Amino acid sequence: MVCKRAATRRHRRLAASVALALGTACGSSKARADPLRLRADAVAETQSPTGLVVLQGRDDVTPWIGAEGLLWAGAKPDATADILVLSMRLREPHGWGEVRAGRFILATGAILPVQIDGAEVIGRAPWGSTVETFGGLPVVPRFGARPYDWIAGGRVSETIASGATVGFSYVQRREDGQISDDEVGADLAAAPARWFDVAAHGSYDLTNPGVTEARASAATRWEPWRVELFASQRSPSRLLPATSLFSVLGDFASQMVGGEVRWKAAPRLDLLASGAGQSVGGELGGNGFLRATLRLDDRGDGNLGLELRRQDVSTAQWTGVRAVGSVPLGRGLRYSTELEIAAPDHPDGRGVAWPWGLMALAWRPHGGWELAGAVEASSTPVHRYEMDALLRLSRTLEIR
């Protein structure tokens, strides 16, 4: 659990940097005829210096074509660089179809997300039918050799009375010519009324017969409430390729049944409660959280949040509290902070509490520049104290 929490924090920092870079790039686009709009981001970390470059190109004169790229660059002691995303997308102006080719993340219907070097073709009919097909090579680091490795599949869906969409998908993956994944899936999304909607998806493994993953939810809403019930089942051994070592070490299937209630207690105050019973490998437990979010202005540019979380299933037994805040300071400045404290039920000499905190300051002057810095500090069972710093410099270019 300790290693998982440490890895999760590092992955969260990277994901946050990527999401912020992409989100800012998308948000900065304006409805005017800029022949090309590019954005580049650089991220640095003190312990393991890294670089992240995000490039996006869009053309408002011919919006049917677009391109995006994401380059990850590491540093000492093991200098690495790799392309995470590099693709081009062509769209039919009326929305009847599109083609995407290159390196990208594929996710559609009940098919789990997968990174491929290949192509995806989508066709849409005026009466609501959609046909998707894709094929390519699963991505390996640094464009390594992939002899006889490939993945292919597709999805067909139909929209019924503009209130429900039903889809069926199939995917097959091979490694060294041998089938490592062979699945069929189905998905459903429907809103029979403005106050009620349901969604479900599931996939079935044909190689090792059994349910890979299934989830269903139903939600109803009436101001100021929203109530959702959900249930899910996951089989780890079927989520991994059949050739993976972990897939033969045992299958600890997990089931979860729970609900979520959201209450808009005031115009700027949201309260959220979630709880679920969970079974992992036959061991019963549960998890849940209470969260409050206060918006400091009508647009939500500033906010404060407090969350209390409890996890009690299998070997993961801990209680945590989390506080977040984001405040615009004017003149292009924004301050944000985040603090977490987790207390394990069984410390076993690893400390009675594990704190983690982050403080960040971003400055966005005119001219397309953005400078952001953050300091992170934590105490874990592995390190009594640890401190990292993040620095990001971004520039949006408009080439006419």
Side-chain angles (χ1 to χ4, degrees):
M1 181 180 70
V2 175
C3 295
K4 182 178 180 181
R5 284 178 58 84
T8 300
R9 288 169 180 167
R10 293 188 180 278
H11 294 162
R12 180 172 54 194
R13 292 200 300 268
L14 172 59
S17 300
V18 174
L20 185 57
L22 292 176
T24 307
C26 296
S28 62
S29 60
K30 301 178 182 178
R32 60 183 184 182
D34 294 330
L36 182 62
R37 181 177 291 267
L38 297 177
R39 178 182 177 89
D41 290 80
V43 180
E45 182 181 353
T46 54
Q47 287 199 342
S48 55
T50 53
L52 180 67
V53 178
V54 180
L55 294 176
Q56 286 188 326
R58 65 186 307 270
D59 188 347
D60 291 332
V61 178
T62 54
W64 48 269
I65 185 172
E68 61 179 345
L70 181 62
L71 172 65
W72 170 257
K76 297 179 179 179
D78 182 18
T80 59
D82 207 349
I83 295 176
L84 303 182
V85 174
L86 183 61
S87 65
M88 176 174 290
R89 187 192 299 264
L90 302 177
R91 297 184 179 89
E92 201 281 328
H94 301 90
W96 292 347
E98 61 182 80
V99 177
R100 180 169 54 162
R103 172 168 291 188
F104 56 90
I105 304 295
L106 173 74
T108 177
I111 298 175
L112 294 174
V114 60
Q115 187 183 21
I116 68 171
D117 290 326
E120 177 188 25
V121 180
I122 302 177
R124 302 182 181 92
W127 54 84
S129 298
T130 302
V131 178
E132 307 174 48
T133 183
F134 61 87
L137 307 177
V139 172
V140 297
R142 307 185 194 179
F143 293 93
R146 293 164 289 184
Y148 308 107
D149 290 3
W150 54 266
I151 184 171
R155 176 178 179 265
V156 294
S157 63
E158 180 70 30
T159 300
I160 305 171
S162 70
T165 300
V166 180
F168 300 93
S169 55
Y170 173 76
V171 61
Q172 183 179 111
R173 179 171 178 170
R174 290 179 177 261
E175 294 183 3
D176 293 327
Q178 302 297 317
I179 295 178
S180 62
D181 190 16
D182 195 23
E183 291 183 2
V184 293
D187 57 273
L188 166 69
R194 296 184 59 181
W195 52 270
F196 180 69
D197 61 79
V198 295
H201 73 267
S203 55
Y204 188 87
D205 190 346
L206 300 176
T207 304
N208 179 20
V211 175
T212 301
E213 182 182 33
R215 178 179 172 86
S217 65
T220 181
R221 65 187 66 82
W222 67 96
E223 289 297 336
W225 296 88
R226 183 183 185 276
V227 179
E228 179 182 359
L229 301 178
F230 58 84
S232 66
Q233 175 172 330
R234 306 186 72 187
S235 175
S237 68
R238 295 186 177 94
L239 290 171
L240 296 169
T243 54
S244 170
L245 173 62
F246 294 101
S247 65
V248 300
L249 296 180
D251 182 12
F252 298 98
S254 65
Q255 298 82 30
M256 184 184 301
V257 178
E260 184 177 283
V261 178
R262 185 186 301 272
W263 176 34
K264 191 174 182 179
R268 296 183 182 178
L269 177 62
D270 292 337
L271 301 179
L272 179 64
S274 178
Q278 191 174 1
S279 172
V280 178
E283 295 187 30
L284 299 179
N287 63 80
F289 66 84
L290 299 172
R291 180 186 302 158
T293 302
L294 176 64
R295 293 180 294 277
L296 302 180
D297 52 77
D298 293 336
R299 295 194 309 172
D301 290 340
N303 61 81
L304 301 175
L306 183 65
E307 178 180 321
L308 178 65
R309 182 176 292 270
R310 172 63 182 173
Q311 180 79 26
D312 189 353
V313 60
S314 187
T315 58
Q317 299 174 338
W318 52 272
T319 301
V321 62
R322 176 172 178 260
V324 298
S326 179
V327 181
L329 303 178
R331 297 183 179 273
L333 290 172
R334 170 179 290 274
Y335 172 77
S336 59
T337 186
E338 183 175 350
L339 175 64
E340 294 180 4
I341 300 178
D345 290 3
H346 308 288
D348 296 329
R350 299 172 299 172
V352 296
W354 305 328
W356 176 85
L358 177 71
M359 294 187 299
L361 184 65
W363 179 45
R364 186 183 297 177
H366 297 290
W369 288 96
E370 181 178 357
L371 177 63
V375 177
E376 176 197 50
S378 64
S379 178
T380 69
V382 179
H383 300 98
R384 177 171 297 180
Y385 65 90
E386 183 178 7
M387 182 172 291
D388 296 298
L390 292 170
L391 179 65
R392 194 190 71 190
L393 178 63
S394 307
R395 175 72 189 275
T396 300
L397 300 176
E398 296 182 6
I399 304 176
R400 301 180 181 274

